[in-house]
Amino acid sequence: MTRNLHADTSAVRSGAPARHEPWWRRDGRAWPALVAAAFTLAQLLLVRPGMGLGWDETVYVSQVSPQAPAAFFSAPRTRGVSVLVAPVAAWSTSTPLLRVYLALLSGLGLYLALRCWRGLFPARVLAAGGALFAGLWVTLFYGPQAMANLWVALGALAAVGCFLRAAADRTRRAPLWGLAFSAALMALMRPTDAVWAALPMLVLPLAVRRFRQPLLLLALAGGLVAGAAQWVVEAYVSFGGVAERLSQGSDIQGGLGWNIAVDDQIRSLGGRSLCRPCTGAAPHPAVYAWWLALPVLAAVGLLIAVRARRALPTLLPLACATTAAIPYLFMIDYAAPRFLLPAYALVAIPVADALVWLVTAPSAPWRRLATVLVVIGLAGHLAVQYVVLERTVDRATASHRAWARTATALHRAGVRPPCVVASHGTDTPPIPVAFYAGCSSAATSGHNANTTAARLARTARRTPVAVLTGAGGRPPSYARGWRSVHLDGPVYAYLSPPPNP
């Protein structure tokens, strides 16, 4: 496989005495640990634990939190994030505590994912790759959030490393267990994304004789099946089967099919957490220059690996990154930066290998110039990432605080749990406002429809119901005659009469 990996395993088999070195220097584990620690610290300092919960986060957290009833769970969603946050959210309603917990957990996840690559690349390359991935504004922004994409990315990164290590040494069982666990993590978070990211690893044992190892394929496929089991069961219980759930998920996403969304992804890099519809001008070229440089640097990394006769550890993550990115670049008509986190994680190590080679190539007359260009480029890249992150955090914090103010205004107006929040003719989403207010959320139309107008009218006879509207907005038919109140800014509401005793 690779020179480093073979050297490690041969040393163990020959019984060579271990070098007496401190644990933090042994096997180069200190560098990935430092990168992971810096990643955690940067999240706590730059993203701020008091940012509040976003729309999607309130859906996932509400499934286990005592703060509010569980929000409607649509077909594309999975229960993995709810499982992830349950150790904290099940007993505490503190958002800062949840943010700190997720920041620490994502830092640990990054460290373990990089450790799965031990021996496949030098420690400095692994640390550089981890730093490149962790330094992206989208990675930092979603590190402490209750969202699935980063965990699919870390699972994919760990799975490819374990796959390569297991294929190189059939006598070791630890990489197989790591592969199974990583695959299960991906599938628990997003089964469809997991299949796309794992596709080259599923094909390789079937297409190449040297990789036809039953345990290798069993660990990968078994992990995917175990992680997706709950999603499959829920598909039959709540959505009419796997095919129907996939169909509903496709409809909610606008219908999956051939659609070039590359330009949409570029527009989203300016800090738009969801670009739907993705209109408007692209951000300044400095914001997305790194994105265009990724495939070039990845190609350089692959060329270096081929010349050094270690192509597979570079080719496989690039192949997995490509398949992970395909549905979000060519199959949907909108974009969100977080969708490509698995691809960024997988491409980070080959790109880091290329950058390290550029600044350390022996006897290269252009090495000094390359070093200067790499240093300047990385410094500018990090500066841009920081600027975009700061603006994105400020916008998210402002919107989350607006939802919290609306919920507080509902309490002042007499709407308290148990209660129901709906909306009509306004951009203010009922789900996060309902979560902040401790209420259930209701929708009679759209992707989150979970009731009917008639049923909601009957509910209002025994439970307080608030229908959010804009200034001058007309109420739905079932709320005509209800009292109108001004809540906060442009948000108004129609409140149901006191329930009958």
Side-chain angles (χ1 to χ4, degrees):
M1 172 68 68
T2 66
R3 185 178 303 175
N4 290 337
L5 183 57
H6 283 312
D8 289 348
T9 56
S10 61
V12 172
R13 292 175 181 173
S14 63
R19 292 179 296 176
H20 297 287
E21 294 181 347
W23 68 267
W24 61 85
R25 294 182 58 187
R26 198 175 305 149
D27 298 328
R29 75 181 67 178
W31 289 110
L34 289 174
V35 168
F39 175 48
T40 298
L41 182 61
Q43 293 177 59
L44 297 176
L45 293 177
L46 301 178
V47 184
R48 298 193 293 269
M51 185 175 64
L53 295 178
W55 182 346
D56 292 302
E57 289 183 292
T58 59
V59 175
Y60 295 124
V61 174
S62 70
Q63 308 302 312
V64 295
S65 173
Q67 180 168 336
F72 175 71
F73 218 72
S74 60
R77 301 190 185 277
T78 56
R79 303 282 174 175
V81 175
S82 300
V83 173
L84 187 73
V85 303
V88 171
W91 58 271
S92 173
T93 59
S94 171
T95 298
L97 179 61
L98 181 62
R99 295 280 187 229
V100 172
Y101 160 73
L102 289 172
L104 293 171
L105 198 62
S106 60
L108 176 62
L110 178 62
Y111 171 71
L112 294 177
L114 293 175
R115 285 284 295 171
C116 292
W117 287 78
R118 181 171 57 91
L120 296 167
F121 286 90
R124 60 186 179 184
V125 172
L126 299 181
L132 288 174
F133 177 62
L136 297 175
W137 75 261
V138 63
T139 309
L140 286 166
F141 185 67
Y142 286 103
Q145 292 201 43
M147 298 290 281
N149 307 87
L150 177 66
W151 295 98
V152 176
L154 295 177
L157 183 62
V160 175
C162 289
F163 182 93
L164 291 168
R165 292 182 60 83
D169 188 351
R170 303 188 183 192
T171 64
R172 302 187 62 189
R173 293 292 178 261
L176 290 173
W177 284 109
L179 175 60
F181 178 83
S182 302
L185 175 64
M186 287 194 294
L188 179 65
M189 293 297 166
R190 283 196 177 278
T192 51
D193 285 9
V195 172
W196 279 102
L199 191 58
M201 291 186 288
L202 290 169
V203 171
L204 201 57
L206 301 176
V208 181
R209 179 175 300 178
R210 58 179 290 201
F211 291 99
R212 290 177 185 171
Q213 304 176 27
L215 290 179
L216 190 63
L217 189 57
L218 178 63
L220 177 58
L224 292 174
V225 170
Q230 185 278 330
W231 182 89
V232 172
V233 171
E234 187 179 45
Y236 284 99
V237 172
S238 303
F239 298 96
V242 171
E244 181 61 25
R245 184 170 192 175
L246 291 174
S247 176
Q248 291 184 31
S250 175
D251 292 340
I252 290 175
Q253 293 174 326
L256 298 180
W258 177 251
N259 188 86
I260 299 177
V262 175
D263 55 337
D264 293 341
Q265 284 292 339
I266 290 176
R267 291 189 184 95
S268 72
L269 292 175
R272 301 171 67 175
S273 58
L274 182 62
C275 196
R276 186 179 190 182
C278 206
T279 56
H284 191 279
V287 172
Y288 59 86
W290 68 271
W291 201 78
L292 300 179
L294 275 184
V296 177
L297 292 172
V300 173
L302 181 58
L303 179 62
I304 294 169
V306 171
R307 293 181 60 183
R309 299 181 182 275
R310 51 175 177 81
L312 186 61
T314 297
L315 183 59
L316 184 59
L318 292 180
C320 292
T322 301
T323 56
I326 283 176
Y328 295 115
L329 291 178
F330 303 108
M331 295 180 67
I332 61 175
D333 63 353
Y334 66 100
R338 67 180 185 270
F339 291 164
L340 295 182
L341 276 170
Y344 298 152
L346 290 165
V347 81
I349 291 178
V351 167
D353 192 30
L355 293 176
V356 170
W357 180 84
L358 287 173
V359 301
T360 61
S363 304
W366 39 260
R367 188 176 66 177
R368 181 172 299 179
L369 176 60
T371 301
V372 172
L373 293 176
V374 168
V375 170
I376 293 176
L378 289 177
H381 166 71
L382 290 175
V384 170
Q385 296 302 302
Y386 169 76
V387 170
V388 176
L389 176 64
E390 183 180 35
R391 294 175 180 174
T392 305
V393 170
D394 288 345
R395 284 196 298 268
T397 302
S399 65
H400 300 172
R401 288 177 178 173
W403 298 336
R405 288 195 304 268
T406 300
T408 301
L410 282 173
H411 288 167
R412 288 198 300 265
V415 180
R416 296 181 179 275
C419 48
V420 178
V421 175
S423 68
H424 182 77
T426 178
D427 292 332
T428 302
I431 290 178
V433 172
F435 179 83
Y436 280 106
C439 304
S440 299
S441 59
T444 58
S445 61
H447 302 318
N448 295 303
N450 60 349
T451 189
T452 63
R455 190 179 305 163
L456 193 55
R458 290 194 298 269
T459 300
R461 298 171 187 168
R462 60 182 184 276
T463 303
V465 175
V467 182
L468 305 179
T469 67
R474 300 181 60 182
S477 58
Y478 61 83
R480 291 173 185 169
W482 292 7
R483 177 168 63 102
S484 175
V485 298
H486 177 218
L487 297 178
D488 179 70
V491 184
Y492 290 72
Y494 287 89
L495 307 183
S496 63
N500 296 325

